[in-house]
């Protein structure tokens, strides 16, 4: 797996070097979704939720952007893929952001804990979550 560092808004991210993003990537990142993440971050910065879960965090782009914007909030980044979890840890360190990182199925973490803001960004339908 080869990685490069990119910048998205105020954060830096190690992302997998690949020309076209597919769900077969070992650690997913899609640069075409930056505007979508901008909107989510804007919504979060208006409502200022105390406890946030990015439950399918992939490279950590969304959760780390929330953590960077909302210093008072507790931000949990979760992904069931261990490769993602390892990169999220590196990306949190790269940006000196304190977040909690979990390696669970989204449905498990959402049953175990309560959150004020839940980001669900699966491949395909969110109905199962
Ligand atoms: C579309 S990507 C998320 C992209 C990310 N939110 C972003 O903005 O860059 C979907 C991610 O969900 C993870 N995933 C898929 N099914 C999951 C599940 N049941 N529980 C937790 N993570 C899951 C995958 O490993 C993948 O990293």
């Amino acid at each position: 797996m080869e990685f490069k560092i990119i910048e998205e808004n105020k954060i830096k991210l190690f992302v997998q070097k690949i020309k076209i993003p597919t769900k077969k990537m070992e650690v997913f990142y899609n640069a075409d979704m930056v505007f979508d993440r901008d909107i989510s971050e804007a919504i979060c910065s208006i409502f200022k939720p105390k406890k946030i879960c990015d439950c399918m965090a992939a490279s950590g782009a969304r959760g780390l952007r929330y953590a960077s914007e909302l210093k008072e909030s507790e931000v949990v980044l979760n992904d069931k893929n261990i490769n993602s979890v390892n990169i999220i840890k590196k990306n949190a360190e790269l940006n000196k952001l304190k977040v909690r990182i979990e390696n669970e199925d989204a449905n498990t973490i959402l049953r175990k804990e309560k959150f004020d803001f839940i980001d669900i960004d699966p491949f395909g339908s969110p109905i199962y979550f």
Side-chain angles (χ1 to χ4, degrees):
M1 241 190 298
E2 269 195 276
F3 286 88
K4 61 182 177 181
I5 295 183
I6 56 117
E7 280 191 44
E8 180 174 318
N9 202 328
K10 291 176 203 155
I11 63 160
K12 290 187 175 146
L13 292 167
F14 285 105
V15 297
Q16 202 180 335
K17 256 190 191 174
I18 204 153
K19 282 199 179 129
I20 299 163
T22 71
K23 62 181 178 185
K24 289 194 181 132
M25 286 172 81
E26 287 171 83
V27 179
F28 189 81
Y29 176 77
N30 185 355
D32 289 344
M33 294 300 279
V34 171
F35 183 60
D36 184 282
R37 288 188 285 268
D38 289 347
I39 293 170
S40 299
E41 186 186 316
I43 291 168
C44 248
S45 64
I46 291 165
F47 289 104
K48 296 187 171 34
K50 285 196 179 112
K51 191 173 173 190
I52 298 170
C53 184
D54 178 5
C55 61
M56 293 167 181
S59 304
R62 284 174 191 275
L64 294 176
R65 288 185 58 171
Y66 300 145
S68 153
E69 193 61 31
L70 295 157
K71 304 281 187 215
E72 309 287 300
S73 303
E74 177 188 353
V75 182
V76 180
L77 287 88
N78 176 72
D79 203 288
K80 76 171 183 183
N81 173 358
I82 191 65
N83 293 323
S84 286
V85 166
N86 291 334
I87 285 297
I88 294 166
K89 285 180 185 162
K90 279 181 187 268
N91 284 334
E93 278 171 26
L94 184 65
N95 293 281
K96 299 183 174 57
L97 290 169
K98 276 201 175 170
V99 291
R100 178 149 65 87
I101 299 161
E102 301 288 356
N103 181 207
E104 303 221 54
D105 186 278
N107 282 329
T108 306
I109 196 164
L110 294 178
R111 278 204 180 93
K112 281 206 289 202
E113 279 187 61
K114 288 192 175 163
F115 298 94
D116 302 303
F117 184 97
I118 298 167
D119 190 309
I120 298 177
D121 186 19
F123 301 122
S125 173
I127 199 89
Y128 309 103
F129 308 96

